[in-house]
Amino acid sequence: MELTLTTAGESHGPQLTCILEGLPAGLAIDLARIDADLARRQLGHGRGGRMKIESDKAEIVGGVRHGRTLGGPVALSVRNQDYENWQERMSPTPVGEEVAEVHLPRPGHADLVGTWKYKLSDVRDILERASARETAARVAGGAICRAFLSALGVEVRSHVIQIASVKAPFGPSTELRLADFDAVDDSPVRCLDEATSKAMVAEIDTLRKRNESLGGVFEVRAFGLTPGLGSHTSWEQRLDGRIAMAICSIQAVKGATIGDAFQIAGLPGSKAHDEIFYSEQRGFHRQTNRAGGLEGGMSTGEPLIVLGAMKPLPTLTQPLRSVDIETLKPAQALRERTDSCTVPAAGVVAEAMISYVLADAYRRKFGGDHIDDVREAVSCYETRIRWAR
Ligand code: EPS
């Protein structure tokens, strides 16, 4: 049994849609929790004018009755308030008026290659779907995956560890408990260190004034995982690979690592691994988690630690050089309203993507038509491997 997550919708179209197929019946769904995640994704110092227009709310339009899943596909919609201002330009049906085409691709965006590949002359036909607005639909779907994981004792959190050149004194080797994330959304950049938060805000303000955009690094952690999710038996079942794909699929993300992979790569083997211990009280356990919670493409039961590196956003208020795709003459890239930094939001999106990958891994391993069947299967398995929670 697999779990699939599909999104549809354009940035300035009528709405975004998310369909999740493969969830068990009987899972409690709280709409307020979905909306809370949608709101968290909209936060963060460095967002642009669009966030003043949108106030994302999900509507459940299939698969849930009286607050519980029915076992069929779950469908969610999130309206684009801005569609109000784009009705003609983004109408799904033909319009009488001629709508001016955009011919100025932005370096770093999907614009240029997208127009070649899809044989489209209007850059807007590409950028509308490539836009990170789509991540609102992923977060709505991810919130349902999060509910499924919570029912199994798994919690997923994130924080920002770098914005442009400002780095937090935390990283994958820092020991963090679930409770350490309780106030992370109080920071305007979702950073756990107060002094670094301030420095990050100042960095955004400085670079924004210079018409620059900023990238950075976020970290996601998952607590309470059962060991053995994913599998070493085939490359496409390895959880490391599935996680890397999910993280790198987030708009503007160029890198993903499990734990501090690039740091570990430089260490001798004796310093790179997590020795195995057993005691009556704790069962099998480790004293370190350099592996970031995965060995052989499978969860070890230690917290999962995933990092994502986001490039500076490619829409710039001082546009870079480009070429008009109609006249083939040099021109400045499209100048659009934009965010200057979305690393804090990307962390929330990454929580959604990790929640999806983990929920799918539980569905593949344990199946079950009702959430109670899943719980029972997990519990039987944990008893067999003597896993102490
Ligand atoms: C985006 C451009 C901006 C962002 C948008 C992603 O939108 P607009 O062109 O309408 O100003 O605000 O992100 C969102 C709308 C969102 O909800 O995250 C882009 O080009 O990727």
Side-chain angles (χ1 to χ4, degrees):
M1 156 114 27
E2 282 181 29
L3 179 65
T4 59
L5 184 156
T6 308
T7 73
E10 284 66 46
S11 179
H12 304 94
Q15 69 170 47
L16 299 164
T17 306
C18 182
I19 298 185
L20 278 163
E21 191 158 9
L23 286 165
L27 177 66
I29 301 296
D30 180 354
L31 190 57
R33 291 244 170 128
I34 304 176
D35 287 346
D37 270 354
L38 287 171
R40 292 172 63 233
R41 193 200 68 93
Q42 290 199 266
L43 294 176
H45 194 71
R47 298 307 304 260
R50 178 77 183 271
M51 289 305 105
K52 295 194 179 78
I53 300 171
E54 306 295 342
S55 165
D56 292 335
K57 298 264 180 290
E59 199 184 335
I60 301 173
V61 290
V64 180
R65 181 164 179 249
H66 301 162
R68 299 216 168 249
T69 53
L70 298 171
V74 172
L76 299 154
S77 74
V78 180
R79 297 233 141 241
N80 289 322
Q81 307 289 340
D82 207 13
Y83 180 56
E84 189 81 355
N85 309 312
W86 289 76
Q87 286 191 32
E88 197 132 78
R89 282 174 290 174
M90 288 305 295
S91 169
T93 52
V95 285
E97 295 273 306
E98 180 111 341
V99 174
E101 292 197 349
V102 177
H103 294 139
L104 304 170
R106 293 158 297 172
H109 228 285
D111 303 351
L112 180 61
V113 183
T115 54
W116 290 342
K117 179 173 161 71
Y118 289 93
K119 197 169 180 271
L120 295 166
S121 58
D122 187 352
V123 167
R124 181 152 301 285
D125 287 332
I126 304 304
L127 70 84
E128 282 288 335
R129 178 67 185 156
S131 164
R133 174 76 188 144
E134 183 259 351
T135 60
R138 301 199 207 190
V139 167
I144 303 245
C145 299
R146 191 198 284 285
F148 171 73
L149 293 174
S150 283
L152 303 174
V154 177
E155 295 296 335
V156 180
R157 299 288 185 272
S158 73
H159 63 132
V160 170
I161 59 175
Q162 184 180 339
I163 286 184
S165 62
V166 182
K167 291 184 185 175
F170 296 130
S173 56
T174 314
E175 206 173 308
L176 292 170
R177 291 156 304 133
L178 182 58
D180 292 327
F181 291 85
D182 285 354
V184 67
D185 294 317
D186 294 346
S187 155
V189 281
R190 309 195 59 257
C191 175
L192 292 174
D193 182 64
E194 211 177 315
T196 315
S197 279
K198 287 193 178 125
M200 286 173 170
V201 167
E203 177 91 332
I204 293 169
D205 290 342
T206 306
L207 287 171
R208 185 158 55 179
K209 271 190 211 120
R210 285 191 216 142
N211 292 309
E212 288 289 4
S213 61
L214 301 85
V217 180
F218 54 80
E219 185 186 86
V220 183
R221 298 203 184 197
F223 300 88
L225 289 172
T226 204
L229 299 168
S231 174
H232 65 288
T233 57
S234 68
W235 67 266
E236 72 272 35
Q237 286 193 60
R238 285 182 175 260
L239 206 53
D240 337 40
R242 303 185 73 82
I243 286 169
M245 181 186 176
I247 294 296
C248 286
S249 76
I250 299 169
Q251 288 81 341
V253 171
K254 299 294 273 185
T257 65
I258 312 297
D260 206 347
F262 287 91
Q263 165 80 12
I264 297 263
L267 297 178
S270 59
K271 301 269 183 301
H273 300 286
D274 306 301
E275 290 176 301
I276 301 170
F277 302 93
Y278 182 85
S279 71
E280 274 296 315
Q281 198 200 356
R282 292 185 60 192
F284 286 102
H285 61 276
R286 316 293 175 107
Q287 288 174 355
T288 52
N289 183 17
R290 297 173 181 128
L294 293 179
E295 280 177 342
M298 295 174 282
S299 55
T300 60
E302 298 298 317
L304 175 71
I305 304 174
V306 179
L307 271 70
M310 190 179 205
K311 67 182 178 182
L313 299 174
T315 308
L316 294 172
T317 42
Q318 188 75 56
L320 296 175
R321 285 178 293 180
S322 181
V323 172
D324 184 311
I325 58 169
E326 195 172 68
T327 66
L328 305 183
K329 296 264 176 346
Q332 285 204 323
L334 175 66
R335 193 179 164 165
E336 284 239 310
R337 171 186 65 192
T338 183
D339 307 297
S340 46
C341 179
T342 56
V343 184
V348 178
V349 177
E351 286 177 28
M353 292 312 290
I354 294 293
S355 295
Y356 162 68
V357 173
L358 294 176
D360 173 53
Y362 271 95
R363 298 304 284 143
R364 286 167 186 249
K365 176 156 171 52
F366 296 103
D369 296 315
H370 189 279
I371 186 66
D372 291 345
D373 299 343
V374 188
R375 277 200 199 97
E376 211 172 300
V378 174
S379 161
C380 279
Y381 165 73
E382 289 184 349
T383 305
R384 171 170 78 71
I385 64 165
R386 297 189 212 166
W387 181 249
R389 281 208 159 254

